[in-house]
Structures are given as structure tokens and as C-alpha cells.
């Protein structure tokens, strides 16, 4: 895993010392890294993954989640905080059966949108700081998500990340519900019978979500 440079974000040409902007591949790799880091630091999502609310493949769903956000913003470059927040809430509900009642999704969305603007400008300072803090937590034994970030040049591309199976390594270290932000595990919808005035039971169909 290559160390991130703390120097200027622009590459200097060998001849003439002309400052060149980072390549589109590097910008995309940095943005993808920022999304992965933002999701890894989201307590609500971490809780959902640790408790397998998305099923046995919850950690893989988190990986997919990061890629889906990247694809969403690539397809909708003018996506604002509200648009991204709605997507986050939808995925949390649909894939992890979790209904968030706090404002954490808005905070994560604002972080992602802000980092998108910075990376497009070739400013990777915030992403690099986030990555350094994540590395420090890993050295101290915190966190269960691993991904590889490669400092790329013009011919390289992409950041790869892969979540470890939390259930295998931290089965006894699940986050307590009291430590989580306000979120509600969405129960499976049950059809309740209705009784009319004559005492007959009506059959009620399940509403579409």
C-alpha cells in the first residue's frame, strides 16, 4: 500500500518544472477512495454491517454501496447533497432494512459532495488526511475494513477496496445498540386482518413499498 504524498497535489514535469493537473484517472481514484472512507466512518452503516442487517453478505453490500455512489455521481455530475442523501437513505432501507431517524445520511452526503468538488479541483488534502487517520486506526487495531490505495501515475487507475468479513473476526465485538445513532431496524411488513361492522374478516393485500 503506497504512502500518500503530503506535498503539492500537482505533478511537476521533469523538464521545465511545469505544473500539470492530475490525470482524470487519479482524480477518480481519489474520489473513490474518499467514498470508501466516508462509508467506513458512518456509524449507522457500520452497525448494520456488524449485525448483518443486510444478510450474510452485508460487508460485500457495503463495497457495492461505495461503487454505486461513484456510479451515481458519474451519471449525475450535478447531484447535490439532497439527491445523494436520498440515495443513501434508500439503500440503507432497501439493502440493510434500516430506517435512519437522525441526520447522519445528510452529513455523509455533504461530505461526499464536498470531496467530489475538491478532487475535481485536484485538491486531495482532505482525502489524504482521512486516509492517514484511517491507517492510524488500523495500526491501533480499530476498524474491520481493508482496501488498497495505490498512488497512481498517468498510466494507472482506480482504487480497490474490500471489506473483511466482520462476522469472522469481530463476532464478539458488535456495536451495542445504545452506542448507535438513532436508527430503526425495519421489521418485515405483516398483513393485519380487518373486521367489518358485521363481524366478517376482510383479506387485506400487502401494500407495495
Amino acid at each position: 500500500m503506497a504512502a500518500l504524498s503530503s506535498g503539492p497535489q500537482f505533478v511537476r514535469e521533469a523538464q521545465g518544472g511545469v505544473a500539470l493537473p492530475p490525470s482524470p484517472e487519479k482524480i477518480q481514484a481519489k474520489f473513490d477512495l474518499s467514498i470508501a472512507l466516508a462509508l467506513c466512518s458512518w456509524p449507522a452503516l457500520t452497525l448494520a454491517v456488524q449485525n448483518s442487517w443486510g444478510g450474510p453478505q452485508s460487508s460485500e453490500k457495503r463495497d457495492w454501496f461505495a461503487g454505486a455512489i461513484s456510479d451515481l455521481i458519474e451519471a449525475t455530475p450535478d447531484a447535490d447533497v439532497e439527491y445523494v442523501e436520498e440515495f443513501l437513505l434508500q439503500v440503507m432501507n432497501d439493502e440493510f432494512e434500516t430506517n435512519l431517524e437522525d441526520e447522519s445520511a445528510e452529513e455523509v452526503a455533504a461530505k461526499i459532495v464536498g470531496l467530489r468538488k475538491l478532487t475535481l479541483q485536484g485538491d486531495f488534502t482532505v482525502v489524504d488526511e482521512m486516509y492517514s487517520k484511517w491507517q492510524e486506526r488500523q495500526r491501533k487495531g480499530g476498524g474491520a475494513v481493508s482496501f488498497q490505495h495505490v498512488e497512481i501515475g498517468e498510466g494507472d487507475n482506480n482504487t480497490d477496496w474490500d471489506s473483511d468479513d466482520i462476522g469472522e473476526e469481530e463476532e464478539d465485538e458488535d456495536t451495542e445498540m445504545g452506542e448507535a445513532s438513532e436508527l430503526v431496524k425495519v421489521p418485515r411488513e405483516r398483513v393485519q386482518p380487518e373486521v367489518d361492522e358485521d363481524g366478517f374478516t376482510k383479506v387485506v393485500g400487502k401494500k407495495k413499498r
Side-chain angles (χ1 to χ4, degrees):
M1 188 177 295
L4 295 175
S5 173
S6 59
Q9 302 301 332
F10 293 101
V11 180
R12 293 193 175 278
E13 195 175 36
Q15 295 181 352
V18 179
L20 298 176
S23 67
E25 291 81 9
K26 182 170 185 177
I27 289 174
Q28 186 63 46
K30 289 287 188 177
F31 180 54
D32 288 345
L33 175 64
S34 73
I35 295 174
L37 291 167
L39 293 186
C40 289
S41 62
W42 189 6
L45 179 56
T46 299
L47 182 68
V49 171
Q50 288 179 337
N51 288 281
S52 298
W53 289 351
Q57 304 299 318
S58 291
S59 59
E60 286 80 1
K61 282 188 177 182
R62 176 169 51 189
D63 299 337
W64 166 84
F65 198 177
I69 294 170
S70 180
D71 292 342
L72 175 76
I73 295 181
E74 183 177 359
T76 315
D78 59 346
D80 58 11
V81 173
E82 182 179 359
Y83 186 81
V84 176
E85 178 190 9
E86 289 179 358
F87 180 74
L88 298 180
L89 291 172
Q90 178 184 343
V91 172
M92 288 295 290
N93 196 315
D94 294 348
E95 300 297 334
F96 296 95
E97 297 185 10
T98 302
N99 180 30
L100 294 176
E101 295 183 342
D102 60 2
E103 298 180 353
S104 65
E106 181 181 1
E107 294 173 0
V108 175
K111 181 183 295 184
I112 291 172
V113 171
L115 287 166
R116 178 57 173 168
K117 293 178 180 178
L118 289 175
T119 53
L120 283 175
Q121 295 169 1
D123 184 353
F124 309 136
T125 303
V126 176
V127 181
D128 290 353
E129 289 177 354
M130 291 171 62
Y131 186 53
S132 295
K133 290 179 180 179
W134 178 84
Q135 287 182 308
E136 182 63 26
R137 287 197 301 270
Q138 292 297 108
R139 283 193 289 268
K140 293 180 179 179
V145 179
S146 63
F147 46 84
Q148 182 178 14
H149 174 62
V150 180
E151 189 70 11
I152 64 177
E154 294 299 316
D156 304 316
N157 56 15
N158 291 337
T159 297
D160 296 326
W161 60 82
D162 182 27
S163 295
D164 293 332
D165 188 347
I166 298 177
E168 294 180 0
E169 297 185 1
E170 299 189 7
E171 186 173 347
D172 298 327
E173 299 180 10
D174 288 349
T175 305
E176 295 294 334
M177 286 297 296
E179 298 176 1
S181 55
E182 296 180 24
L183 49 90
V184 177
K185 179 73 164 59
V186 179
R188 292 293 184 184
E189 186 177 347
R190 293 183 178 179
V191 178
Q192 298 296 336
E194 292 184 7
V195 180
D196 61 17
E197 296 178 356
D198 298 324
F200 293 101
T201 301
K202 298 179 181 180
V203 177
V204 183
K206 185 175 180 181
K207 294 181 180 180
K208 294 183 179 179
R209 294 179 181 270

